[in-house]
Protein backbone atom coordinates (compact mmCIF):
# COMPACT_ATOMS: atom_id res chain seq x y z
CA UNK A 1 0.00 0.00 0.00
CA UNK A 2 1.45 3.36 -1.03
CA UNK A 3 1.06 6.47 1.14
CA UNK A 4 0.57 9.92 -0.36
CA UNK A 5 1.22 12.79 2.04
CA UNK A 6 -0.76 15.96 1.48
CA UNK A 7 0.66 19.32 2.52
CA UNK A 8 -1.32 22.09 4.18
CA UNK A 9 -1.83 24.02 0.95
CA UNK A 10 -3.40 20.99 -0.70
CA UNK A 11 -5.79 20.42 2.21
CA UNK A 12 -6.81 24.09 2.22
CA UNK A 13 -7.33 24.14 -1.54
CA UNK A 14 -9.33 20.92 -1.31
CA UNK A 15 -11.74 22.60 1.11
CA UNK A 16 -12.11 25.52 -1.28
CA UNK A 17 -12.71 23.31 -4.32
CA UNK A 18 -15.23 21.14 -2.50
CA UNK A 19 -17.19 24.22 -1.46
CA UNK A 20 -17.37 25.43 -5.06
CA UNK A 21 -18.64 22.23 -6.60
CA UNK A 22 -22.27 22.10 -7.66
CA UNK A 23 -24.12 19.99 -5.14
CA UNK A 24 -26.28 18.56 -7.89
CA UNK A 25 -27.36 19.20 -11.46
CA UNK A 26 -30.95 19.11 -10.34
CA UNK A 27 -33.49 21.92 -10.57
CA UNK A 28 -35.26 20.54 -7.50
CA UNK A 29 -32.36 21.76 -5.39
CA UNK A 30 -33.89 25.25 -5.64
CA UNK A 31 -36.70 24.07 -3.36
CA UNK A 32 -34.34 23.81 -0.40
CA UNK A 33 -32.74 26.38 1.88
CA UNK A 34 -30.00 24.20 3.33
CA UNK A 35 -28.28 20.84 3.29
CA UNK A 36 -26.19 19.13 5.94
CA UNK A 37 -23.62 16.64 4.69
CA UNK A 38 -22.26 14.08 7.16
CA UNK A 39 -19.20 12.06 6.16
CA UNK A 40 -17.98 8.84 7.74
CA UNK A 41 -14.48 7.50 8.22
CA UNK A 42 -13.19 4.83 5.87
CA UNK A 43 -14.87 1.51 6.50
CA UNK A 44 -16.28 2.68 9.84
CA UNK A 45 -19.60 4.18 10.77
CA UNK A 46 -17.98 6.88 12.89
CA UNK A 47 -18.83 10.48 12.10
CA UNK A 48 -15.96 12.36 10.53
CA UNK A 49 -16.21 15.63 8.63
CA UNK A 50 -19.55 17.35 8.22
CA UNK A 51 -20.72 20.44 6.34
CA UNK A 52 -23.65 22.76 6.85
CA UNK A 53 -24.52 24.59 3.65
CA UNK A 54 -27.10 27.33 3.16
CA UNK A 55 -28.60 27.59 -0.31
CA UNK A 56 -30.19 30.27 -2.45
CA UNK A 57 -31.71 29.37 -5.83
CA UNK A 58 -29.79 26.10 -5.80
CA UNK A 59 -26.39 27.74 -5.24
CA UNK A 60 -24.19 27.76 -2.15
CA UNK A 61 -24.67 30.90 -0.06
CA UNK A 62 -22.49 29.90 2.90
CA UNK A 63 -20.72 26.83 4.18
CA UNK A 64 -19.41 25.60 7.51
CA UNK A 65 -17.04 22.67 8.01
CA UNK A 66 -16.98 20.68 11.23
CA UNK A 67 -14.69 17.97 12.57
CA UNK A 68 -16.50 15.98 15.25
CA UNK A 69 -18.86 18.93 15.86
CA UNK A 70 -15.95 21.40 16.13
CA UNK A 71 -16.15 24.30 13.68
CA UNK A 72 -13.06 24.38 11.48
CA UNK A 73 -14.05 26.65 8.58
CA UNK A 74 -16.80 29.12 7.74
CA UNK A 75 -17.21 31.09 4.51
CA UNK A 76 -19.77 33.13 2.59
CA UNK A 77 -20.10 33.13 -1.21
CA UNK A 78 -21.06 35.88 -3.66
CA UNK A 79 -21.78 35.53 -7.37
CA UNK A 80 -21.44 37.74 -10.44
CA UNK A 81 -24.02 38.48 -13.15
CA UNK A 82 -23.05 35.28 -14.99
CA UNK A 83 -23.70 33.18 -11.86
CA UNK A 84 -20.00 32.49 -11.48
CA UNK A 85 -18.54 32.67 -8.00
CA UNK A 86 -17.20 36.23 -7.74
CA UNK A 87 -15.58 36.14 -4.31
CA UNK A 88 -15.72 34.34 -0.99
CA UNK A 89 -15.26 35.78 2.47
CA UNK A 90 -13.69 33.47 5.03
CA UNK A 91 -15.26 34.27 8.40
CA UNK A 92 -13.49 31.60 10.43
CA UNK A 93 -10.51 29.29 9.92
CA UNK A 94 -9.41 27.02 12.73
CA UNK A 95 -5.72 28.00 12.56
CA UNK A 96 -6.49 31.74 12.54
CA UNK A 97 -9.76 32.06 14.46
CA UNK A 98 -12.17 34.78 13.30
CA UNK A 99 -11.14 36.38 10.03
CA UNK A 100 -12.56 38.54 7.29
CA UNK A 101 -10.35 37.32 4.46
CA UNK A 102 -11.60 37.81 0.91
CA UNK A 103 -10.64 35.45 -1.90
CA UNK A 104 -11.36 36.85 -5.34
CA UNK A 105 -12.23 34.57 -8.26
CA UNK A 106 -11.07 35.91 -11.60
CA UNK A 107 -12.27 34.66 -15.00
CA UNK A 108 -11.13 35.29 -18.56
CA UNK A 109 -13.30 34.50 -21.58
CA UNK A 110 -12.42 34.37 -25.27
CA UNK A 111 -14.39 35.91 -28.14
CA UNK A 112 -16.69 32.85 -28.22
CA UNK A 113 -17.58 33.37 -24.56
CA UNK A 114 -15.67 30.26 -23.51
CA UNK A 115 -13.96 30.30 -20.11
CA UNK A 116 -10.24 30.00 -20.86
CA UNK A 117 -8.67 31.08 -17.58
CA UNK A 118 -9.65 30.99 -13.91
CA UNK A 119 -7.60 32.25 -10.97
CA UNK A 120 -8.41 31.40 -7.36
CA UNK A 121 -5.26 30.31 -5.52
CA UNK A 122 -3.48 29.25 -8.70
CA UNK A 123 -4.35 29.83 -12.33
CA UNK A 124 -6.18 27.21 -14.36
CA UNK A 125 -6.27 27.27 -18.15
CA UNK A 126 -9.08 25.71 -20.22
CA UNK A 127 -8.73 24.79 -23.89
CA UNK A 128 -9.55 22.30 -26.63
CA UNK A 129 -13.31 22.84 -26.37
CA UNK A 130 -15.62 20.21 -27.82
CA UNK A 131 -18.93 20.69 -29.66
CA UNK A 132 -20.68 21.05 -26.28
CA UNK A 133 -18.40 23.99 -25.40
CA UNK A 134 -16.73 21.91 -22.68
CA UNK A 135 -12.94 22.09 -22.17
CA UNK A 136 -11.11 18.88 -22.95
CA UNK A 137 -7.81 20.18 -21.55
CA UNK A 138 -7.24 21.83 -18.15
CA UNK A 139 -3.79 22.98 -17.04
CA UNK A 140 -2.49 24.82 -14.00
CA UNK A 141 0.43 27.18 -13.54
CA UNK A 142 3.74 25.57 -14.38
CA UNK A 143 4.85 26.45 -10.86
CA UNK A 144 2.50 23.69 -9.69
CA UNK A 145 4.24 20.96 -11.69
CA UNK A 146 6.07 19.55 -8.69
CA UNK A 147 3.04 19.63 -6.40
CA UNK A 148 0.57 16.85 -5.68
CA UNK A 149 -2.00 18.72 -7.79
CA UNK A 150 -0.46 17.78 -11.11
CA UNK A 151 -0.69 20.34 -13.86
CA UNK A 152 -2.70 18.90 -16.72
CA UNK A 153 -5.97 17.05 -17.24
CA UNK A 154 -7.48 15.71 -20.45
CA UNK A 155 -11.23 15.06 -20.37
CA UNK A 156 -13.76 13.16 -22.45
CA UNK A 157 -17.52 13.69 -21.95
CA UNK A 158 -20.76 11.91 -22.73
CA UNK A 159 -23.55 13.61 -24.71
CA UNK A 160 -24.98 15.37 -21.64
CA UNK A 161 -21.66 16.61 -20.28
CA UNK A 162 -20.73 13.97 -17.71
CA UNK A 163 -17.01 13.14 -17.64
CA UNK A 164 -16.44 9.69 -19.13
CA UNK A 165 -12.67 9.72 -18.82
CA UNK A 166 -10.14 11.88 -16.98
CA UNK A 167 -6.44 11.60 -17.80
CA UNK A 168 -4.26 13.32 -15.20
CA UNK A 169 -0.59 14.16 -15.71
CA UNK A 170 1.49 14.92 -12.63
CA UNK A 171 5.05 14.97 -11.39
CA UNK A 172 5.75 13.64 -7.90
CA UNK A 173 9.25 13.06 -6.51
CA UNK A 174 10.70 13.92 -9.94
CA UNK A 175 8.72 11.13 -11.56
CA UNK A 176 6.18 11.76 -14.31
CA UNK A 177 2.89 10.00 -13.75
CA UNK A 178 -0.31 9.48 -15.73
CA UNK A 179 -3.52 8.30 -14.09
CA UNK A 180 -6.56 7.48 -16.21
CA UNK A 181 -9.97 7.28 -14.54
CA UNK A 182 -13.11 6.16 -16.37
CA UNK A 183 -16.64 6.73 -15.03
CA UNK A 184 -20.12 5.24 -15.31
CA UNK A 185 -23.27 7.10 -14.20
CA UNK A 186 -26.80 6.33 -13.07
CA UNK A 187 -29.95 7.96 -14.44
CA UNK A 188 -29.49 10.88 -12.02
CA UNK A 189 -25.97 11.56 -13.33
CA UNK A 190 -24.22 10.41 -10.18
CA UNK A 191 -21.13 8.19 -10.47
CA UNK A 192 -21.98 4.49 -10.25
CA UNK A 193 -18.50 3.12 -10.94
CA UNK A 194 -14.97 4.33 -11.56
CA UNK A 195 -11.90 2.47 -12.75
CA UNK A 196 -8.28 3.64 -12.47
CA UNK A 197 -5.18 2.78 -14.44
CA UNK A 198 -1.75 4.34 -13.85
CA UNK A 199 1.49 4.68 -15.79
CA UNK A 200 3.92 3.69 -14.43
CA UNK A 201 1.79 1.05 -12.79
CA UNK A 202 0.66 1.91 -9.25
CA UNK A 203 -0.13 -0.58 -6.52
CA UNK A 204 -3.68 0.02 -5.30
CA UNK A 205 -5.15 0.89 -2.88
CA UNK A 206 -3.31 4.18 -2.32
CA UNK A 207 -3.89 5.68 1.11
CA UNK A 208 -4.72 9.39 1.13
CA UNK A 209 -4.14 11.26 4.39
CA UNK A 210 -7.38 13.07 5.21
CA UNK A 211 -9.46 11.22 2.60
CA UNK A 212 -10.63 7.82 1.40
CA UNK A 213 -8.12 5.43 -0.10
CA UNK A 214 -7.99 5.23 -3.90
CA UNK A 215 -8.85 1.80 -5.30
CA UNK A 216 -8.43 0.52 -8.82
CA UNK A 217 -12.16 -0.16 -8.96
CA UNK A 218 -14.81 1.62 -6.90
CA UNK A 219 -18.58 1.38 -7.09
CA UNK A 220 -21.29 3.50 -5.49
CA UNK A 221 -24.92 3.12 -4.49
CA UNK A 222 -27.35 5.93 -3.63
CA UNK A 223 -30.62 6.29 -1.78
CA UNK A 224 -32.72 9.15 -3.19
CA UNK A 225 -35.47 11.39 -1.86
CA UNK A 226 -38.64 12.28 -3.78
CA UNK A 227 -36.76 15.04 -5.67
CA UNK A 228 -34.08 12.63 -6.95
CA UNK A 229 -31.43 14.12 -4.66
CA UNK A 230 -29.38 11.46 -2.94
CA UNK A 231 -29.57 11.32 0.84
CA UNK A 232 -27.30 8.32 1.41
CA UNK A 233 -24.15 7.38 -0.49
CA UNK A 234 -22.48 3.97 -0.26
CA UNK A 235 -18.96 3.06 -1.38
CA UNK A 236 -18.31 -0.47 -2.65
CA UNK A 237 -14.74 -1.79 -2.74
CA UNK A 238 -13.43 -5.35 -2.67
CA UNK A 239 -17.04 -6.63 -2.67
CA UNK A 240 -17.89 -4.81 0.57
CA UNK A 241 -20.27 -1.87 0.91
CA UNK A 242 -19.72 1.07 3.30
CA UNK A 243 -21.91 4.05 4.12
CA UNK A 244 -19.71 7.11 3.45
CA UNK A 245 -22.09 10.11 3.37
CA UNK A 246 -25.55 11.23 4.43
CA UNK A 247 -27.31 14.41 3.33
CA UNK A 248 -30.24 16.14 5.03
CA UNK A 249 -32.11 18.67 2.89
CA UNK A 250 -34.34 21.30 4.47
Amino acid sequence: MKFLLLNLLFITSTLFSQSLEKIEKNENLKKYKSVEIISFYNKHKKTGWSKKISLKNGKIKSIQYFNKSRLTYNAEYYYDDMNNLDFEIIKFEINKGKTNDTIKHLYTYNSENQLIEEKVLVKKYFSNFNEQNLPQTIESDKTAIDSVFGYREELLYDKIGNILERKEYSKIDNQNKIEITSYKYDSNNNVLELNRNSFPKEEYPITIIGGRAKYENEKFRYVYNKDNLWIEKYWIVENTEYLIEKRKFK
Side-chain angles (χ1 to χ4, degrees), residues 14 17 25 53 65 140 143 161 169 189 202 214 225 229:
T14 298
S17 64
K25 293 180 180 178
I53 300 172
Y65 286 83
S140 63
T143 55
Y169 299 82
N189 299 313
E202 292 271 10
K214 293 170 65 174
N225 67 9
L229 294 161

XYZ file of all heavy atoms in Angstrom, residues 14 17 25 53 65 140 143 161 169 189 202 214 225 229:
113
model
N -8.286 21.933 -1.180
C -9.331 20.919 -1.314
C -10.626 21.411 -0.692
O -11.714 21.229 -1.246
C -8.890 19.606 -0.651
O -7.721 19.128 -1.311
C -9.973 18.560 -0.751
N -12.133 23.902 -3.115
C -12.705 23.307 -4.320
C -13.977 22.542 -4.018
O -14.925 22.566 -4.798
C -11.681 22.380 -4.991
O -11.368 21.293 -4.150
N -26.751 18.625 -10.275
C -27.359 19.200 -11.463
C -28.834 18.825 -11.446
O -29.299 17.968 -12.176
C -26.681 18.657 -12.720
C -25.228 19.099 -12.883
C -24.619 18.519 -14.139
C -23.175 18.945 -14.298
N -22.549 18.339 -15.499
N -24.517 23.703 4.810
C -24.519 24.594 3.653
C -25.870 25.288 3.545
O -26.914 24.635 3.566
C -24.244 23.798 2.354
C -22.868 23.121 2.442
C -24.326 24.694 1.137
C -22.593 22.164 1.304
N -17.635 23.996 7.877
C -17.040 22.673 8.012
C -16.856 22.363 9.496
O -16.441 23.233 10.269
C -15.674 22.604 7.323
C -15.737 22.569 5.820
C -15.873 23.741 5.087
C -15.642 21.361 5.127
C -15.913 23.707 3.703
C -15.687 21.329 3.747
C -15.822 22.507 3.042
O -15.874 22.488 1.668
N -2.738 23.842 -15.046
C -2.491 24.823 -13.996
C -1.150 25.486 -14.239
O -0.389 25.106 -15.141
C -2.532 24.167 -12.619
O -1.498 23.215 -12.501
N 4.249 26.493 -12.188
C 4.855 26.455 -10.856
C 4.277 25.332 -10.017
O 4.830 24.974 -8.985
C 4.645 27.792 -10.130
O 3.242 28.088 -10.102
C 5.381 28.913 -10.838
N -22.673 15.855 -20.985
C -21.655 16.615 -20.275
C -21.034 15.941 -19.069
O -20.196 16.542 -18.396
N -2.048 14.186 -15.631
C -0.595 14.161 -15.714
C -0.036 14.890 -14.498
O -0.452 16.012 -14.206
C -0.120 14.866 -16.982
C -0.600 14.242 -18.269
C -1.865 14.524 -18.772
C 0.212 13.380 -18.999
C -2.312 13.960 -19.956
C -0.220 12.813 -20.183
C -1.488 13.107 -20.661
O -1.923 12.549 -21.834
N -27.284 10.997 -13.015
C -25.970 11.562 -13.333
C -25.002 11.553 -12.160
O -24.093 12.389 -12.082
C -26.108 12.986 -13.892
C -26.919 13.034 -15.161
O -26.700 12.240 -16.077
N -27.887 13.933 -15.211
N 0.746 1.691 -10.686
C 0.659 1.913 -9.246
C 0.101 0.666 -8.569
O -0.660 -0.102 -9.164
C -0.278 3.087 -8.943
C 0.258 4.426 -9.395
C 1.102 5.089 -8.337
O 1.429 4.412 -7.323
O 1.439 6.257 -8.501
N -7.673 5.360 -2.465
C -7.992 5.231 -3.897
C -7.813 3.782 -4.315
O -6.725 3.217 -4.178
C -7.081 6.144 -4.717
C -7.321 7.620 -4.483
C -6.246 8.482 -5.126
C -6.263 8.381 -6.629
N -5.306 9.349 -7.238
N -34.198 10.881 -2.369
C -35.472 11.389 -1.858
C -36.438 11.574 -3.023
O -36.129 11.236 -4.173
C -35.276 12.676 -1.042
C -34.813 13.865 -1.882
O -34.785 13.803 -3.123
N -34.451 14.957 -1.224
N -32.682 13.702 -5.281
C -31.434 14.122 -4.660
C -31.001 13.013 -3.702
O -31.810 12.536 -2.904
C -31.629 15.427 -3.888
C -31.949 16.660 -4.739
C -32.571 17.744 -3.875
C -30.699 17.182 -5.426
